[in-house]
Each structure stands twice: as C-alpha cells, then as structure tokens.
Amino acid sequence: MSGKKPALALAGCGAALALLSAPATAGTVTTMTAAAQAAERDSTACIKPSGKKTNYSWTNGNSSTTVYFNNHCSHRVYAKLHFKGPAGTRTECLATNGGTKGKKKFGKGLAEDLTNISRDC
C-alpha cells in the first residue's frame, strides 16, 4: 500500500466532517420546524371508573387527520370532533369501546383543522 491512499482517505473524511458541521440554512430550519409539528391532545372523563379518562391525540394533515385514542373507561365512549375552516365549523363522531386503543382517520378540507374533542355526539 502506498502512502498516498491513507492521506486521501483522511482528506475525504475531513471534507465530510466539514459538511456535517456546517450550519443549516434558513430554508432547512423552516422545513424541519414544519415537519416536527407537535401533536395536539385532549381527553374526556369516564363515567366508570371515576377518575379515569379517554385520551386523544392528533396532528392536522393536508387532506386528513388521524386521531389516536386510548380509552381507559369500562364502557363505550362517544366523542365529538370539532373541525373549523373558512366555510365554517362541522363535527364528526368517534366511538371507542372500553379498554381499547387505536386510531381513526378523518377526511377534511385543505384549510380545515381539528380544533378540539368533546364528550358525547
């Protein structure tokens, strides 16, 4: 092995390290912030057992919103999902069985967002 090959390998590693340590541009930061949007959360109280809740979380997408749920109640829970957009507000119903968790996808308009979840629909 000649002495030039290890030197070239080290030079290539140095160039790669310089690219990794370079600061992000403003466009990159904006893209990362939008992609890392925090999930919204809400919950409703159980009738039985008292002190327990059904928890919900979601992130509004472009054409749909997936609602994740975890029902700690011993009974079926009905939740009203409130969507708000330029055309006004509308509601959808989500029913979850007691002691279950899962997800449900809801279609929506581009400028429409799920704002909150309330009990009974």
Side-chain angles (χ1 to χ4, degrees):
M1 179 188 296
S2 71
K4 292 182 180 179
K5 286 185 180 177
L8 288 175
L10 286 174
C13 289
L17 183 60
L19 289 174
L20 289 175
S21 64
T25 63
T28 306
V29 172
T30 303
T31 304
M32 288 189 296
T33 304
Q37 181 181 8
E40 297 186 55
R41 300 178 190 282
D42 211 340
S43 62
T44 59
C46 296
I47 296 170
K48 288 183 183 177
S50 64
K52 298 286 185 178
K53 295 180 179 180
T54 301
N55 301 311
Y56 305 95
S57 65
W58 70 91
T59 302
N60 287 302
N62 288 332
S63 61
S64 66
T65 296
T66 302
V67 177
Y68 297 86
F69 61 88
N70 190 354
N71 185 346
H72 295 280
C73 305
S74 60
H75 54 85
R76 181 176 269 235
V77 172
Y78 296 93
K80 186 184 292 186
L81 284 62
H82 301 268
F83 289 90
K84 185 175 182 179
T89 59
R90 69 178 180 90
T91 60
E92 293 268 351
C93 189
L94 172 63
T96 61
N97 291 324
T100 61
K101 61 181 174 178
K103 62 183 179 180
K104 173 91 179 189
K105 189 174 185 178
F106 294 89
K108 66 181 197 72
L110 288 175
E112 200 173 46
D113 286 329
L114 176 59
T115 56
N116 70 314
I117 299 175
S118 62
R119 195 166 142 189
D120 297 328
C121 53

